[in-house]
Amino acid sequence: EVQVVESGGGLVKPGESLRLSCAASGFSFNTYSMNWVRQAPGKGLEWVSSISRDSNYIYYADSVKGRFTISRDNAKNSLYLQMNSLRAEDTAVYYCARDGQLDYWGQGTLVTVSS
Amino acid sequence: DVVMTQSPLSLPVSLGQPASISCRSSQSLVYSDGNTYLSWFQQRPGQSPRRLIYKVSNRDSGVPDRFSGSGSGTDFTLKISRVVAEDVGVYYCMQGTHLITFGQGTRLEIK
């Protein structure tokens, strides 16, 4: 069974950093691109970042470019999102999703940025 | 950037009645490989999004056949032939041709 499980969310102050993780199982992780998508409380879905299966191609939304870094470790079947210089507007549930067409999603991890 | 525009944003429907959601993109979603990467997602209250339809009209495994997708180029439609209670939630279109962009979401409720 395909599973992706996010972790690492929490409450941080503006300007602080946080690293999210996504553990994948049930499929050949190294053959799929992966993505982060977020959803602010009561709002719609916003794509954050994508990474190709070999990490050669990486893309970011303008809203996070220069502050967030996506990475993956195919040996550990894991996806990461390093989030620096966090802002209140980064408060959201962050989802990990498989493939360029987002066929499987995790349950999400909540990031709250507040002083 | 590609902008995805859904309508309506709120959709009250009686049980057993059909429902239709429109999604328009600001530019063609036909990719260089000939495919059109337009998907539809359902998000039930308190749940993660779930993909229903991919490449315009292909239903994901386990998706009831009352859901169907159609369209081409820049205009796309999700139809539910007969709404049941479990269809309540928010529906999003998403393009995956030019990076990824979501529509604003359409909230389906039972009238």
Side-chain angles (χ1 to χ4, degrees), chain B:
Chain B
D1 292 4
V2 178
V3 176
M4 304 296 288
T5 304
Q6 289 183 228
S7 63
L9 299 185
S10 178
L11 184 56
V13 183
S14 299
L15 290 172
Q17 294 301 302
S20 180
I21 301 170
S22 171
C23 177
R24 288 188 171 178
S25 59
S26 59
Q27 56 185 279
S28 173
L29 299 186
V30 180
Y31 190 55
S32 54
D33 63 3
N35 288 311
T36 299
Y37 294 102
L38 186 284
S39 301
W40 290 94
F41 295 84
Q42 174 195 61
Q43 188 174 31
R44 291 171 172 153
Q47 295 187 12
S48 301
R50 164 201 182 194
R51 196 178 70 177
L52 300 175
I53 302 285
Y54 63 96
K55 287 194 283 186
V56 181
S57 59
N58 297 276
R59 265 191 310 276
D60 274 281
S61 175
V63 174
D65 60 8
R66 62 178 182 275
F67 289 93
S68 64
S70 63
S72 63
T74 60
D75 288 334
F76 305 93
T77 303
L78 175 70
K79 292 184 178 178
I80 309 174
S81 60
R82 296 173 306 279
V83 169
V84 301
E86 68 181 21
D87 296 337
V88 166
V90 181
Y91 292 80
Y92 297 91
C93 62
M94 183 209 84
Q95 68 82 19
T97 296
H98 311 283
L99 293 183
I100 292 173
T101 316
F102 292 94
Q104 318 97 300
T106 295
R107 185 172 301 275
L108 186 149
E109 62 179 40
I110 303 301
K111 198 186 298 183

